[in-house]
Amino acid sequence: MNYSYSALSPGGSGGFGGVDQHNRCCRNKAWCVKDICGIVCVIMTWLLILFAEFVVMRLILLPSNYTVFSTINMIIFQALAFLAFASHIRTMLSDPGAVPRGNATKEMIEQMGYREGQMFYKCPKCCSIKPERAHHCSVCQRCIRKMDHHCPWVNNCVGENNQKYFVLFTFYIASISVHTLFLVLTQFAECVKNDWRTCSPYSPPATIFLLLFLTFEGLMFGIFTIIMLATQLTAILNDQTGIEQLKKEEARWAKKSRLKSIQSVFGRFSLAWFSPFTEPSCRTRFNSHFYSV
């Protein structure tokens, strides 16, 4: 395990102040992990969403002769695409719950309520006191509170502070995938029923290629995000993160009820649950997360 024992003893020294600019951008206002693999995955995600936007709008909905059908589905598709994109951005640019680096100083230890001689764990990689249920991420190079996993598609860890946005991202991508597959099926039926030359502004080979690629994309993203969404919801309801399940860690913390677990991620039930622009109203205080793991 990547932890080391430390004991508070007289004569300790060190300082902890200022703003930590590690993994920060936009004048320190946003969290941003500078990982090449993650950045490439993020760009690929955006390009795939834009491709779906292009095919659905340019090939399926805008040329449609059924005004009511195209208008309703256009509103649904654009709303889901916007919410999926916003959830992705919020997940990527939100601090997942990073523990301050180098907080294992005498001053900080005393502020946290540790007494002289009391034993605690310290992460040797980022020189931080290990909070309850925190794990060190080698990509973010930080200890993350309630770390579930590091997801390259959002170029960030999924942790205590951004799990809601990640769940919304998987939910909206799954929804837009199902909606896209429905629209592709209706377009195929329309083209087979009528003439392939009149059902699309493009040639029949180009139309078939675009629809088949969009079908593959919808199936791939739909299956992946539905599985991920189910995994995330199960972990939340069981009050056990993905990495805790993977390592088969025994619950040394007081497990919450399913209602309390849901509220700890989304807040009290309201329409704000489905908004990537609101933060959960129920937040656990930071200091309550420190314990020996």
Side-chain angles (χ1 to χ4, degrees):
M1 298 180 69
N2 297 323
Y3 312 132
S4 61
Y5 277 111
S6 295
L8 179 60
S9 58
S13 63
F16 187 82
V19 179
D20 190 351
Q21 297 184 359
H22 182 253
N23 285 345
R24 290 284 177 177
C25 59
C26 302
R27 295 184 178 181
N28 227 33
K29 294 181 180 179
W31 176 268
C32 137
V33 179
K34 300 173 183 66
D35 176 57
I36 297 300
C37 176
I39 293 172
V40 171
C41 288
V42 165
I43 294 173
M44 286 179 59
T45 301
W46 292 348
L47 290 177
L48 288 170
I49 292 176
L50 289 175
F51 173 79
E53 176 85 19
F54 168 77
V55 177
V56 167
M57 296 300 297
R58 187 72 181 87
L59 192 147
I60 300 177
L61 295 180
L62 289 178
S64 176
N65 296 322
Y66 306 99
T67 307
V68 176
F69 173 84
S70 62
T71 302
I72 293 175
N73 282 282
M74 198 179 300
I75 293 172
I76 294 173
F77 184 86
Q78 294 299 339
L80 291 175
F82 173 75
L83 290 170
F85 185 76
S87 299
H88 185 271
I89 293 290
R90 197 71 192 271
T91 307
M92 180 176 64
L93 299 181
S94 293
D95 183 341
V99 179
R101 294 188 302 170
N103 68 350
T105 64
K106 181 179 179 181
E107 293 78 8
M108 289 299 297
I109 291 169
E110 289 175 348
Q111 290 180 21
M112 294 171 191
Y114 285 102
R115 299 181 300 276
E116 184 176 323
Q118 186 174 354
M119 200 71 69
F120 58 87
Y121 282 105
K122 182 179 73 175
C123 176
K125 296 181 180 179
C126 54
C127 194
S128 300
I129 297 177
K130 296 295 295 186
E132 180 184 55
R133 306 176 67 183
H135 293 84
H136 186 88
C137 175
S138 58
V139 180
C140 295
Q141 299 179 3
R142 297 288 287 273
C143 287
I144 307 296
R145 303 195 305 274
K146 287 187 69 176
M147 176 181 169
D148 187 87
H149 69 288
H150 184 93
C151 179
W153 296 105
V154 297
N155 191 32
N156 201 359
C157 273
V158 177
E160 182 181 74
N161 291 350
N162 66 347
Q163 189 171 25
K164 171 192 172 180
Y165 311 126
F166 182 75
V167 172
L168 289 179
F169 171 65
T170 58
F171 172 73
Y172 288 123
I173 289 294
S175 300
I176 201 174
S177 298
V178 173
H179 187 228
T180 298
L181 291 173
F182 164 74
L183 293 175
V184 168
L185 288 175
T186 58
Q187 185 67 15
F188 264 120
E190 183 69 19
C191 290
V192 170
K193 180 180 178 181
N194 300 310
D195 189 351
W196 280 90
R197 294 185 180 86
T198 59
C199 73
S200 167
Y202 302 101
S203 64
T207 300
I208 294 174
F209 172 78
L210 291 173
L211 290 177
L212 286 178
F213 191 88
L214 185 59
T215 301
F216 172 76
E217 179 186 343
L219 286 172
M220 181 182 68
F221 268 82
I223 293 172
F224 176 76
T225 52
I226 287 172
I227 292 174
M228 184 58 70
L229 176 62
T231 302
Q232 286 290 300
L233 292 177
T234 301
I236 293 171
L237 290 172
N238 293 333
D239 193 17
Q240 189 175 33
T241 65
I243 198 168
E244 289 166 352
Q245 292 176 347
L246 185 65
K247 292 186 174 182
K248 298 181 180 180
E249 296 183 2
E250 295 182 4
R252 300 178 184 177
W253 59 93
K255 277 201 169 187
K256 306 184 190 76
S257 65
R258 292 191 171 185
L259 178 60
K260 292 295 183 183
S261 295
I262 286 288
Q263 288 180 344
S264 69
V265 176
F266 295 96
R268 298 187 183 278
F269 179 74
S270 67
L271 288 177
W273 273 23
F274 303 96
S275 171
F277 304 104
T278 60
E279 295 184 0
S281 57
C282 302
R283 284 292 191 194
T284 308
R285 291 184 306 168
F286 177 82
N287 285 346
S288 67
H289 288 273
F290 285 91
Y291 99 126
S292 297
V293 292

Coordinates of all heavy atoms in Angstrom, one line a residue, residues 218-272:
G218 N -23.7 4.9 -32.0 CA -24.8 4.9 -31.0 C -24.8 3.6 -30.2 O -25.0 3.6 -28.9
L219 N -24.6 2.5 -30.8 CA -24.5 1.2 -30.1 C -23.3 1.2 -29.1 O -23.5 0.8 -28.0 CB -24.4 0.0 -31.1 CG -25.7 -0.3 -31.8 CD1 -25.4 -1.4 -32.9 CD2 -26.8 -0.9 -30.9
M220 N -22.2 1.6 -29.6 CA -21.0 1.6 -28.8 C -21.1 2.5 -27.6 O -20.9 2.0 -26.4 CB -19.8 2.0 -29.6 CG -18.4 2.0 -28.9 SD -17.0 2.6 -29.9 CE -17.5 4.3 -30.0
F221 N -21.5 3.7 -27.8 CA -21.6 4.6 -26.7 C -22.8 4.3 -25.8 O -22.7 4.4 -24.6 CB -21.8 6.1 -27.2 CG -20.5 6.8 -27.4 CD1 -19.7 6.6 -28.5 CD2 -20.0 7.7 -26.4 CE1 -18.5 7.3 -28.6 CE2 -18.9 8.3 -26.5 CZ -18.1 8.2 -27.6
G222 N -23.9 3.8 -26.4 CA -25.1 3.4 -25.6 C -24.8 2.3 -24.7 O -25.1 2.4 -23.5
I223 N -24.2 1.2 -25.2 CA -23.9 0.1 -24.3 C -22.9 0.5 -23.2 O -23.1 0.1 -22.0 CB -23.4 -1.1 -25.1 CG1 -24.5 -1.6 -26.1 CG2 -22.8 -2.2 -24.2 CD1 -24.0 -2.7 -27.1
F224 N -21.8 1.2 -23.6 CA -20.8 1.5 -22.6 C -21.3 2.4 -21.5 O -21.1 2.2 -20.3 CB -19.7 2.2 -23.4 CG -18.6 2.8 -22.5 CD1 -17.7 1.9 -21.9 CD2 -18.5 4.1 -22.2 CE1 -16.7 2.4 -21.0 CE2 -17.5 4.6 -21.3 CZ -16.6 3.7 -20.7
T225 N -22.1 3.5 -21.9 CA -22.6 4.4 -20.9 C -23.7 3.8 -20.0 O -23.8 4.2 -18.9 CB -23.1 5.7 -21.6 OG1 -24.0 5.4 -22.6 CG2 -21.9 6.5 -22.1
I226 N -24.5 2.9 -20.6 CA -25.6 2.3 -19.8 C -24.9 1.4 -18.7 O -25.3 1.4 -17.6 CB -26.5 1.5 -20.7 CG1 -27.4 2.4 -21.5 CG2 -27.4 0.6 -19.8 CD1 -28.3 1.7 -22.5
I227 N -23.9 0.7 -19.1 CA -23.2 -0.2 -18.2 C -22.5 0.7 -17.1 O -22.6 0.4 -15.9 CB -22.1 -1.1 -18.9 CG1 -22.9 -2.1 -19.7 CG2 -21.2 -1.8 -17.9 CD1 -21.9 -2.9 -20.6
M228 N -21.9 1.8 -17.5 CA -21.2 2.7 -16.6 C -22.2 3.3 -15.7 O -21.9 3.5 -14.5 CB -20.4 3.7 -17.4 CG -19.5 4.6 -16.5 SD -18.4 3.8 -15.4 CE -17.2 3.2 -16.7
L229 N -23.3 3.8 -16.2 CA -24.3 4.4 -15.4 C -24.9 3.4 -14.3 O -25.0 3.8 -13.1 CB -25.5 4.9 -16.3 CG -26.7 5.5 -15.6 CD1 -26.3 6.7 -14.8 CD2 -27.8 5.8 -16.6
A230 N -25.1 2.2 -14.7 CA -25.6 1.2 -13.8 C -24.5 0.9 -12.7 O -24.9 0.8 -11.5 CB -26.0 -0.1 -14.5
T231 N -23.3 0.9 -13.1 CA -22.2 0.6 -12.2 C -22.1 1.8 -11.2 O -21.9 1.5 -10.0 CB -20.8 0.5 -12.9 OG1 -20.9 -0.6 -13.9 CG2 -19.7 0.2 -12.0
Q232 N -22.2 3.0 -11.7 CA -22.1 4.2 -10.8 C -23.2 4.2 -9.8 O -23.0 4.4 -8.6 CB -22.1 5.4 -11.6 CG -20.8 5.7 -12.3 CD -19.6 6.1 -11.4 OE1 -19.7 7.0 -10.7 NE2 -18.6 5.2 -11.4
L233 N -24.4 4.0 -10.2 CA -25.6 4.0 -9.4 C -25.5 2.9 -8.3 O -25.9 3.1 -7.1 CB -26.9 3.9 -10.2 CG -27.2 5.1 -11.1 CD1 -28.5 4.8 -11.9 CD2 -27.4 6.4 -10.3
T234 N -25.1 1.7 -8.7 CA -24.9 0.6 -7.8 C -23.9 1.0 -6.7 O -24.1 0.7 -5.5 CB -24.5 -0.7 -8.5 OG1 -25.5 -1.0 -9.5 CG2 -24.3 -1.8 -7.5
A235 N -22.8 1.6 -7.1 CA -21.7 2.0 -6.2 C -22.2 3.0 -5.2 O -22.0 3.0 -4.0 CB -20.5 2.5 -6.9
I236 N -23.0 4.0 -5.7 CA -23.6 5.0 -4.8 C -24.5 4.4 -3.8 O -24.5 4.7 -2.6 CB -24.2 6.1 -5.7 CG1 -23.2 6.9 -6.5 CG2 -25.0 7.1 -4.8 CD1 -23.8 7.8 -7.5
L237 N -25.4 3.6 -4.3 CA -26.4 3.0 -3.4 C -25.8 2.1 -2.3 O -26.3 2.0 -1.2 CB -27.4 2.2 -4.2 CG -28.4 3.0 -5.1 CD1 -29.2 2.1 -6.0 CD2 -29.3 3.8 -4.3
N238 N -24.7 1.4 -2.7 CA -24.0 0.6 -1.7 C -23.0 1.3 -0.9 O -22.3 0.7 0.0 CB -23.3 -0.6 -2.5 CG -24.3 -1.5 -3.1 OD1 -25.4 -1.7 -2.6 ND2 -23.9 -2.2 -4.2
D239 N -22.8 2.6 -1.2 CA -21.8 3.5 -0.5 C -20.5 2.8 -0.5 O -19.8 2.7 0.5 CB -22.3 3.7 1.0 CG -21.5 4.8 1.7 OD1 -20.8 5.6 1.0 OD2 -21.4 4.8 2.9
Q240 N -20.1 2.5 -1.8 CA -18.8 1.9 -2.0 C -18.3 2.3 -3.3 O -18.9 2.0 -4.3 CB -18.8 0.3 -1.8 CG -17.5 -0.3 -1.8 CD -17.6 -1.8 -1.6 OE1 -18.6 -2.5 -2.0 NE2 -16.6 -2.4 -0.9
T241 N -17.1 2.9 -3.4 CA -16.6 3.3 -4.7 C -16.1 2.2 -5.5 O -15.9 1.1 -5.0 CB -15.4 4.3 -4.5 OG1 -14.3 3.7 -3.8 CG2 -15.9 5.5 -3.6
G242 N -15.9 2.5 -6.8 CA -15.4 1.4 -7.7 C -14.0 0.9 -7.3 O -13.8 -0.4 -7.4
I243 N -13.1 1.7 -6.9 CA -11.8 1.2 -6.5 C -11.9 0.4 -5.2 O -11.1 -0.5 -5.0 CB -10.8 2.4 -6.4 CG1 -9.4 1.9 -6.4 CG2 -11.1 3.3 -5.1 CD1 -8.4 3.0 -6.6
E244 N -12.8 0.8 -4.3 CA -13.0 0.0 -3.1 C -13.6 -1.4 -3.4 O -13.2 -2.4 -2.8 CB -13.9 0.7 -2.1 CG -13.3 2.0 -1.5 CD -14.3 2.9 -0.8 OE1 -15.6 2.6 -1.0 OE2 -13.9 3.9 -0.2
Q245 N -14.4 -1.5 -4.4 CA -15.0 -2.8 -4.8 C -13.9 -3.6 -5.5 O -13.8 -4.8 -5.3 CB -16.1 -2.5 -5.8 CG -17.4 -1.9 -5.2 CD -18.5 -1.7 -6.2 OE1 -18.2 -1.7 -7.4 NE2 -19.6 -1.4 -5.7
L246 N -13.1 -2.9 -6.3 CA -12.0 -3.6 -7.0 C -11.0 -4.2 -6.0 O -10.5 -5.3 -6.2 CB -11.3 -2.7 -8.0 CG -10.2 -3.3 -8.9 CD1 -10.9 -4.3 -9.9 CD2 -9.6 -2.2 -9.7
K247 N -10.6 -3.4 -5.0 CA -9.6 -3.9 -4.0 C -10.2 -4.7 -2.9 O -9.5 -5.2 -2.1 CB -8.9 -2.7 -3.4 CG -8.0 -1.9 -4.4 CD -7.3 -0.8 -3.7 CE -6.2 -0.2 -4.6 NZ -5.4 0.9 -3.9
K248 N -11.6 -4.8 -3.0 CA -12.3 -5.6 -2.0 C -12.0 -5.1 -0.5 O -11.7 -5.9 0.4 CB -12.0 -7.1 -2.1 CG -12.5 -7.7 -3.4 CD -12.2 -9.2 -3.5 CE -12.6 -9.7 -4.9 NZ -12.4 -11.2 -5.0
E249 N -12.0 -3.8 -0.4 CA -11.7 -3.2 0.9 C -12.9 -3.4 1.9 O -14.0 -3.2 1.5 CB -11.4 -1.7 0.7 CG -10.1 -1.5 -0.1 CD -9.8 0.0 -0.1 OE1 -10.5 0.8 0.5 OE2 -8.8 0.4 -0.8
E250 N -12.6 -3.7 3.1 CA -13.6 -3.8 4.1 C -14.1 -2.4 4.5 O -13.3 -1.5 4.5 CB -13.1 -4.6 5.3 CG -12.7 -6.0 5.1 CD -12.3 -6.7 6.3 OE1 -12.3 -6.1 7.4 OE2 -11.9 -7.9 6.2
A251 N -15.4 -2.3 4.7 CA -15.9 -1.0 5.1 C -15.6 -0.6 6.5 O -16.1 -1.2 7.5 CB -17.5 -1.0 4.9
R252 N -14.6 0.2 6.6 CA -14.2 0.7 8.0 C -14.9 2.0 8.3 O -14.6 2.6 9.3 CB -12.7 0.9 8.0 CG -11.9 -0.4 7.7 CD -10.4 -0.1 7.7 NE -9.6 -1.3 7.4 CZ -8.3 -1.3 7.2 NH1 -7.6 -0.2 7.4 NH2 -7.7 -2.5 6.9
W253 N -15.7 2.5 7.4 CA -16.5 3.7 7.7 C -17.9 3.3 8.0 O -18.4 2.2 7.7 CB -16.4 4.6 6.4 CG -17.0 3.9 5.2 CD1 -18.2 4.0 4.7 CD2 -16.2 3.1 4.3 NE1 -18.4 3.3 3.5 CE2 -17.2 2.7 3.3 CE3 -14.9 2.6 4.2 CZ2 -16.8 1.8 2.2 CZ3 -14.6 1.8 3.2 CH2 -15.5 1.4 2.2
A254 N -18.6 4.3 8.6 CA -20.0 4.0 8.9 C -20.8 4.2 7.6 O -21.0 5.3 7.0 CB -20.5 5.0 9.9
K255 N -21.3 3.1 7.1 CA -22.1 3.1 5.8 C -23.4 3.8 5.9 O -24.1 3.7 6.9 CB -22.3 1.7 5.3 CG -21.1 1.1 4.6 CD -21.6 -0.1 3.7 CE -20.5 -0.5 2.8 NZ -21.0 -1.5 1.8
K256 N -23.7 4.6 4.9 CA -24.9 5.4 4.9 C -26.1 4.5 4.4 O -25.8 3.5 3.7 CB -24.8 6.7 4.0 CG -23.6 7.6 4.4 CD -23.7 8.8 3.5 CE -22.4 9.6 3.6 NZ -21.3 9.0 2.9
S257 N -27.3 5.0 4.6 CA -28.4 4.3 4.0 C -28.4 4.7 2.5 O -27.7 5.6 2.1 CB -29.7 4.8 4.7 OG -29.9 6.2 4.4
R258 N -29.2 4.0 1.8 CA -29.3 4.3 0.3 C -29.8 5.7 0.0 O -29.2 6.4 -0.9 CB -30.2 3.3 -0.4 CG -29.6 1.8 -0.3 CD -30.4 0.9 -1.2 NE -29.7 -0.4 -1.4 CZ -30.1 -1.3 -2.2 NH1 -31.1 -1.2 -2.9 NH2 -29.4 -2.5 -2.2
L259 N -30.7 6.2 0.8 CA -31.2 7.5 0.6 C -30.1 8.5 0.9 O -29.9 9.5 0.2 CB -32.4 7.8 1.5 CG -33.0 9.2 1.5 CD1 -33.5 9.5 0.1 CD2 -34.1 9.4 2.5
K260 N -29.4 8.4 2.1 CA -28.3 9.3 2.4 C -27.2 9.2 1.4 O -26.5 10.2 1.1 CB -27.8 8.9 3.8 CG -28.8 9.2 5.0 CD -29.1 10.7 5.1 CE -30.0 10.9 6.3 NZ -30.3 12.4 6.4
S261 N -26.9 8.0 0.9 CA -25.9 7.9 -0.1 C -26.2 8.7 -1.4 O -25.3 9.4 -2.0 CB -25.6 6.4 -0.4 OG -25.2 5.7 0.7
I262 N -27.4 8.5 -1.8 CA -27.9 9.3 -3.0 C -27.8 10.8 -2.8 O -27.3 11.6 -3.6 CB -29.3 8.9 -3.4 CG1 -29.3 7.5 -4.1 CG2 -29.9 9.9 -4.4 CD1 -28.7 7.5 -5.5
Q263 N -28.3 11.2 -1.6 CA -28.3 12.6 -1.2 C -26.8 13.2 -1.1 O -26.6 14.3 -1.4 CB -29.0 12.8 0.1 CG -30.5 12.7 -0.1 CD -31.3 12.9 1.2 OE1 -30.7 12.9 2.3 NE2 -32.6 13.1 1.2
S264 N -25.9 12.3 -0.7 CA -24.5 12.8 -0.6 C -23.9 13.1 -1.9 O -23.0 13.9 -2.0 CB -23.7 11.8 0.1 OG -23.5 10.6 -0.7
V265 N -24.4 12.6 -3.0 CA -23.9 12.8 -4.4 C -24.8 13.9 -5.1 O -24.2 14.8 -5.7 CB -23.9 11.5 -5.2 CG1 -23.5 11.8 -6.6 CG2 -23.0 10.5 -4.5
F266 N -26.1 13.7 -5.0 CA -27.0 14.6 -5.7 C -27.7 15.7 -4.9 O -28.3 16.6 -5.5 CB -28.1 13.8 -6.4 CG -27.6 12.8 -7.5 CD1 -27.3 11.5 -7.2 CD2 -27.3 13.3 -8.8 CE1 -26.8 10.7 -8.1 CE2 -26.9 12.4 -9.7 CZ -26.6 11.1 -9.4
G267 N -27.7 15.6 -3.6 CA -28.4 16.5 -2.8 C -29.9 16.0 -2.6 O -30.2 14.9 -3.0
R268 N -30.7 16.8 -1.9 CA -32.1 16.5 -1.7 C -32.8 16.5 -3.1 O -32.5 17.3 -3.9 CB -32.8 17.4 -0.7 CG -32.2 17.4 0.6 CD -32.9 18.2 1.6 NE -32.3 18.2 2.9 CZ -32.4 17.3 3.8 NH1 -33.2 16.2 3.6 NH2 -31.8 17.3 5.0
F269 N -33.8 15.6 -3.2 CA -34.4 15.4 -4.5 C -35.1 16.7 -5.0 O -35.9 17.3 -4.3 CB -35.5 14.3 -4.4 CG -36.2 14.1 -5.8 CD1 -35.5 13.4 -6.8 CD2 -37.5 14.5 -6.0 CE1 -36.1 13.3 -8.0 CE2 -38.1 14.4 -7.2 CZ -37.4 13.7 -8.2
S270 N -34.8 17.0 -6.2 CA -35.4 18.1 -6.9 C -35.0 18.0 -8.4 O -34.2 17.1 -8.8 CB -34.9 19.5 -6.4 OG -33.6 19.7 -6.6
L271 N -35.5 18.9 -9.2 CA -35.1 18.9 -10.6 C -33.6 19.2 -10.8 O -33.0 18.9 -11.8 CB -35.9 19.9 -11.4 CG -37.4 19.6 -11.6 CD1 -38.1 20.7 -12.4 CD2 -37.5 18.3 -12.4
A272 N -33.0 19.8 -9.7 CA -31.6 20.1 -9.8 C -30.7 18.9 -9.9 O -29.5 18.9 -10.3 CB -31.2 20.9 -8.6

